[in-house]
Amino acid sequence: MEGQIEAPLDSDIFSLDLSYYQLVHVTLTLDRPMNGTLDLVVGASSGQGVLLSYEQSVVHGVAEAWYFMSTNGTLSATVLSGNVGYTGGYTLETEVNPDDYGDTPETAGYLGADGVVQSWIETNDDVDMFSLDVRAGQVVQFERDAQA
């Protein structure tokens, strides 16, 4: 969806009705370089969900959020310009239940040295694969922190 911030302190609000146990990726992309501030605010009207990852202020022309909806409800995304705010166009995209990392060696996500990734198992049959570079004799330790 495309939008326009006409003046500082302008805001646009979008909503998306979701079913329980849905993961949503929201991305805000600017049409041109910034000349002020622009924020993306994401939340559920029911309060029944978890904001998993969030880059509120637009950095390098993009802001994004990952939100997990734990019940039926409405997710809102607000594009908000500050006092010395950005004016101009933007694109707001939502993707419901995206696959964050590939399921095959060819589509695996790269894990760098001492790397940390945050990932989600989106469906019961989801598989997330990662690749990394190692040398002979190198010891590699993997840890995971699973959220219920």
Side-chain angles (χ1 to χ4, degrees), residues 18-148:
L18 296 170
S19 299
Y20 64 95
Y21 297 121
Q22 288 190 310
L23 178 68
V24 181
H25 184 221
V26 180
T27 307
L28 172 65
T29 307
L30 302 184
D31 289 353
R32 61 181 176 75
M34 284 191 57
N35 64 345
T37 59
L38 190 67
D39 291 334
L40 171 65
V41 179
V42 176
S45 60
S46 63
Q48 300 298 313
V50 178
L51 188 59
L52 300 171
S53 176
Y54 194 33
E55 179 62 51
Q56 177 180 357
S57 295
V58 175
V59 177
H60 306 296
V62 177
E64 65 179 342
W66 289 86
Y67 198 91
F68 178 74
M69 196 67 154
S70 56
T71 64
N72 293 335
T74 301
L75 182 74
S76 66
T78 303
V79 179
L80 176 65
S81 179
N83 286 332
V84 185
Y86 169 85
T87 55
Y90 63 86
T91 302
L92 187 70
E93 296 177 85
T94 58
E95 187 176 6
V96 178
N97 294 326
D99 192 5
D100 54 351
Y101 288 98
D103 299 352
T104 67
E106 294 78 24
T107 60
Y110 180 73
L111 181 59
D114 296 323
V116 175
V117 295
Q118 188 171 15
S119 180
W120 297 272
I121 301 299
E122 291 85 13
T123 63
N124 288 337
D125 59 350
D126 185 24
V127 174
D128 290 343
M129 295 192 81
F130 300 93
S131 67
L132 66 150
D133 298 323
V134 294
R135 295 182 306 276
Q138 184 176 1
V139 176
V140 178
Q141 179 178 334
F142 295 95
E143 295 178 16
R144 66 153 178 83
D145 180 16
Q147 298 176 359

